[in-house]
Amino acid sequence: MLAARRTPFGPLLVERGLITQAQLDQAVAEQRRQTPQRRIGEVLVGMRLVTEGEMLRALAEQLGCPLVDLKSEPPDAEVLSIVPSEFALRHHLLPLHQTDHTLTVAMADPLDIQSIDDLLLLTGLSIRPVLASASDISRAVEQFYMSRMLQDVEAQEQSAAEEESLDVADLQKMAREELVIQMVNLLINQAIQDRASDIHIEPFERELRVRYRIDGVLHEVNAPPKRFHPAVISRLKILSDMNIAERRLPQDGRMRIRAAGRQIDLRVSTVPTLYGESAVLRILDKQTAMLGLPELGLHGAMFERFRRLILEPHGIILVTGPTGSGKTTTLYAALNEIYSTEKKIITIEDPVEYQLNGINQIQVHPQIDLTFANGLRHIVRQDPDIIMVGEIRDHETAEIAIHAALTGHLVFSTLHTNDAAGAISRMLDMGAEPYLVASSLIGSMAQRLVRINCAKCRRASEEREVDLREVGISAADLAQGAVMRGEGCAECRGVGFRGRGGVFEMLTVDDTIRNMIVGRAPSMEIKQHAVRSQGMMTLMQDGRRRVLDGDTTMREVLRVCQREDF
């Protein structure tokens, strides 16, 4: 049994001299702003007021609960068979060992009575909870359960040569075997725990490779043996309502699962390769994608200018950037900010990745001629106040979007351009009349995503002067901020980064820019005017700000932002 609570956790940290009362008050205020609310210890770690280790040691003292290090105290192999991997992932726990009728279990929250009761019902054993880091538990579940599965696999007899002769009945049978189900569930659940956006399952001549895309970068993880590849792909096809008999053509499907107490959609794509079908699962987690406008990372004056733009009654607002730069997330945040029951909002997207409450969303279907242009043409007859077009790809779509803006609608859309001013040139290149673009466009914003330094292991970093100059950082700038770099730790899988944030560049269309558009001025001239007259902060300048704030590194900024010559 855990000791009864004595001093509340926050005051306990103050008593121990780890934080001040002012810092605790600041953390409590931050906790109240969050939805959903996190525990005060997690908030303090996130604000870098205490380390995770300090927080865990204080929590163990408060609860009278042992603190374990899973790196030095691995679980007994036999107890892993008592608790299924899905259960362990869902409840953030790891069974360690059994003594008589007592099961010792590492938990991120030893006071989670519901999980303890569920585990008691599952095992019939008395439960002794011990405290461990949530991130350590997540990694240990992946490591030890997958290792156990691979041991079970070795005990099974199946020849890799059988792979070519498998018929549909064989595939269906294999896909429903308990071991295959556990493999697929573990791969998906662990990816969600690791905040991955995609799962790549790739067959090669002698091996099967599984990689997670985390913060925009691929990381290899434990994979099933190559001979289980047909069964894993078939399991994914069954879950995604795809044709398991078709292995020669690409296929697309979709599935919905429940993980970590919430609904998560997965978009599944398979393509035939030299050594079998490759699959990519895009994880569409509404909780991570649906950010509020303040959470986007827009800085100071830029935030206020963007908020004023989206409150305009009509006009076109464009968000630009390459694929995967967070454009859709920005548009969703803007729509959520201005949504009310008094406004009708309609979107047309390809695909509809996240469902928005109270907003009418249309999925593009080119096979039945429901294109952006055709869909948009009918949307304007639905009496909308606000329209979001997933992407302006051609002259017809641009023309209809402009017409909608000129007839009193607020239109949001995206383009693939390098900077905010480039959106104007792209519209003109698609054949839009300059005077119509000048009359309808009210603003454009370019954005990129940079990886954020891990809060747990980031430290001040000494950089070469030549490198500092490359992003425009001077000695005077360093006096106002600090260049930081993540050293790499267990929390960030040793890469030094955890999470991503945006860098932005926002251009508002004033009278001078309207005249420049009508005169077909080059985008560089428009950009130079915006910098000189509007004080526009460029992508590189916003990236420099994030470097000086300690959020990211110069190498990250240079990876996603073009160098500037003006």
Side-chain angles (χ1 to χ4, degrees):
M1 293 292 293
L2 299 179
R5 289 183 185 240
R6 296 185 179 91
T7 307
F9 188 62
L12 176 65
L13 295 176
V14 175
E15 282 184 12
R16 296 185 60 170
L18 294 173
I19 58 173
T20 65
Q21 184 61 48
Q23 289 173 324
L24 176 59
D25 294 341
Q26 181 186 0
V28 170
E30 174 63 25
Q31 181 190 38
R32 288 171 178 161
R33 282 195 295 268
Q34 295 177 350
T35 305
Q37 283 195 356
R38 293 185 296 166
R39 295 182 180 276
I40 190 65
E42 295 173 344
V43 175
L44 288 163
V45 172
M47 296 175 68
R48 298 191 288 274
L49 296 176
V50 296
T51 66
E52 185 181 44
E54 291 170 337
M55 185 268 289
L56 288 171
R57 286 189 290 273
L59 185 58
E61 176 187 321
Q62 183 204 31
L63 300 176
C65 176
L67 175 63
V68 297
D69 180 358
L70 296 180
K71 299 182 187 68
S72 58
E73 190 171 338
D76 295 339
E78 56 270 19
V79 301
L80 296 176
S81 60
I82 299 175
V83 182
S85 59
E86 307 96 281
F87 185 99
L89 281 166
R90 185 167 67 252
H91 293 278
H92 304 289
L93 56 82
L94 179 72
L96 294 178
H97 49 79
Q98 180 183 351
T99 305
D100 296 327
H101 295 288
T102 300
L103 180 66
T104 298
V105 181
M107 301 182 67
D109 180 8
L111 293 178
D112 185 351
I113 303 301
Q114 183 64 56
S115 293
I116 292 173
D117 287 345
D118 289 349
L119 192 56
L120 189 150
L121 288 171
L122 176 71
T123 64
L125 300 171
S126 297
I127 306 302
R128 175 179 174 259
V130 295
L131 180 64
S133 157
S135 55
D136 285 351
I137 290 174
S138 178
R139 278 185 291 274
V141 167
E142 175 189 359
Q143 175 186 349
F144 294 116
Y145 274 97
M146 183 57 77
S147 296
R148 179 177 172 273
M149 283 184 192
L150 296 182
Q151 291 170 5
D152 291 345
V153 166
E154 294 303 322
Q156 296 191 15
E157 295 184 3
Q158 178 171 342
S159 170
E162 294 175 0
E163 197 169 298
E164 292 298 323
S165 61
L166 290 171
D167 60 22
V168 174
D170 293 328
L171 291 171
Q172 288 176 331
K173 181 180 177 182
M174 290 171 61
R176 289 183 170 87
E177 289 181 358
E178 182 62 28
L179 186 58
V180 173
I181 292 172
Q182 286 187 15
M183 280 182 183
V184 172
N185 289 352
L186 182 58
L187 287 174
I188 294 174
N189 281 305
Q190 190 59 52
I192 294 168
Q193 291 285 331
D194 288 349
R195 304 173 298 102
S197 61
D198 302 85
I199 304 171
H200 292 246
I201 301 172
E202 305 161 313
F204 294 95
E205 184 177 10
R206 300 181 183 278
E207 65 175 355
L208 183 65
R209 175 187 288 175
V210 176
R211 295 187 289 173
Y212 295 161
R213 187 175 295 280
I214 303 171
D215 297 333
V217 177
L218 287 169
H219 299 269
E220 192 162 357
V221 299
N222 290 329
K226 175 67 161 53
R227 62 178 174 270
F228 274 79
H229 169 243
V232 169
I233 297 296
S234 297
R235 177 68 185 164
L236 292 172
K237 286 184 173 181
I238 288 172
L239 292 173
S240 307
D241 197 24
M242 295 157 67
N243 182 1
I244 68 169
E246 181 55 76
R247 285 171 272 177
R248 299 166 301 170
L249 294 174
Q251 293 190 67
D252 294 303
R254 197 174 185 121
M255 72 173 88
R256 175 170 291 179
I257 64 170
R258 188 162 187 83
R262 60 187 187 272
Q263 292 279 0
I264 293 175
D265 290 335
L266 292 99
R267 203 169 71 232
V268 184
S269 170
T270 63
V271 295
T273 69
L274 188 61
Y275 297 107
E277 288 179 286
S278 173
V280 174
L281 287 71
R282 166 63 58 89
I283 299 171
L284 306 173
D285 185 353
K286 187 173 181 179
Q287 180 170 306
T288 58
M290 294 307 300
L291 301 179
L293 201 62
E295 297 173 276
L296 291 178
L298 288 159
H299 180 64
M302 200 186 305
F303 173 83
E304 293 301 328
R305 289 168 65 194
F306 185 66
R307 193 170 187 280
R308 282 198 301 271
L309 267 188
I310 66 176
L311 292 173
E312 290 288 333
H314 53 79
I316 297 178
I317 299 172
L318 297 173
V319 178
T320 79
T323 300
S325 59
K327 299 186 296 295
T328 301
T329 299
T330 296
L331 290 180
Y332 282 173
L335 292 179
N336 277 328
E337 178 75 12
I338 60 180
Y339 170 76
S340 76
T341 56
E342 299 172 353
K343 295 176 181 176
K344 179 161 185 174
I345 303 177
I346 305 180
T347 76
I348 181 163
E349 307 170 58
D350 183 22
V352 175
E353 295 194 352
Y354 303 98
Q355 297 175 13
L356 306 174
N357 291 330
I359 294 175
N360 298 277
Q361 295 174 269
I362 300 171
Q363 168 77 52
V364 166
H365 286 292
Q367 303 87 343
I368 58 173
D369 204 30
L370 179 52
T371 60
F372 278 120
N374 286 340
L376 184 54
R377 187 177 291 108
H378 290 281
I379 283 175
V380 295
R381 300 172 190 160
Q382 290 284 306
D383 188 32
D385 298 288
I386 299 163
I387 301 169
M388 187 191 102
V389 185
E391 183 183 348
I392 295 178
R393 297 177 178 172
D394 52 41
H395 167 71
E396 190 177 8
T397 308
E399 192 175 59
I400 302 169
I402 289 170
H403 180 265
L406 293 176
T407 53
H409 304 90
L410 185 62
V411 180
F412 293 91
S413 192
T414 70
L415 285 172
H416 293 277
T417 65
N418 290 328
D419 56 18
I424 297 169
S425 300
R426 182 61 53 85
M427 292 284 283
L428 298 178
D429 290 343
M430 284 190 285
E433 291 291 340
Y435 73 94
L436 293 177
V437 174
S439 302
S440 59
L441 185 65
I442 59 175
S444 68
M445 183 167 72
Q447 66 179 73
R448 300 290 189 276
L449 291 177
V450 293
R451 290 182 292 173
I452 299 298
N453 287 326
C454 174
K456 186 175 180 180
C457 65
R458 73 172 195 168
R459 302 287 185 273
S461 173
E462 292 290 334
E463 303 290 345
R464 296 185 308 168
E465 188 175 338
V466 63
D467 294 331
L468 292 169
R469 282 201 305 269
E470 197 162 6
V471 292
I473 295 177
S474 65
D477 292 326
L478 286 177
Q480 305 297 320
V483 178
M484 310 284 280
R485 183 185 300 276
E487 295 181 336
C489 64
E491 184 74 16
C492 60
R493 289 175 166 265
V495 297
F497 300 101
R498 184 171 172 82
R500 288 190 291 178
V503 292
F504 302 92
E505 167 182 299
M506 198 182 74
L507 178 148
T508 53
V509 179
D510 57 22
D511 290 339
T512 302
I513 291 179
R514 288 191 185 92
N515 291 330
M516 296 175 81
I517 295 172
V518 172
R520 291 183 176 271
S523 61
M524 181 55 70
E525 289 184 18
I526 295 174
K527 182 173 184 175
Q528 290 171 343
H529 165 77
V531 170
R532 288 193 304 265
S533 302
Q534 298 180 358
M536 182 180 81
M537 182 179 287
T538 66
L539 284 168
M540 182 64 80
Q541 289 168 343
D542 197 36
R544 181 179 66 189
R545 171 188 66 83
R546 298 213 73 153
V547 171
L548 290 171
D549 286 346
D551 294 335
T552 191
T553 66
M554 294 183 301
R555 190 179 298 274
E556 269 297 289
V557 173
L558 291 170
R559 181 176 68 87
V560 301
C561 297
Q562 286 186 323
R563 291 163 176 79
E564 295 169 343
D565 299 321
F566 70 92

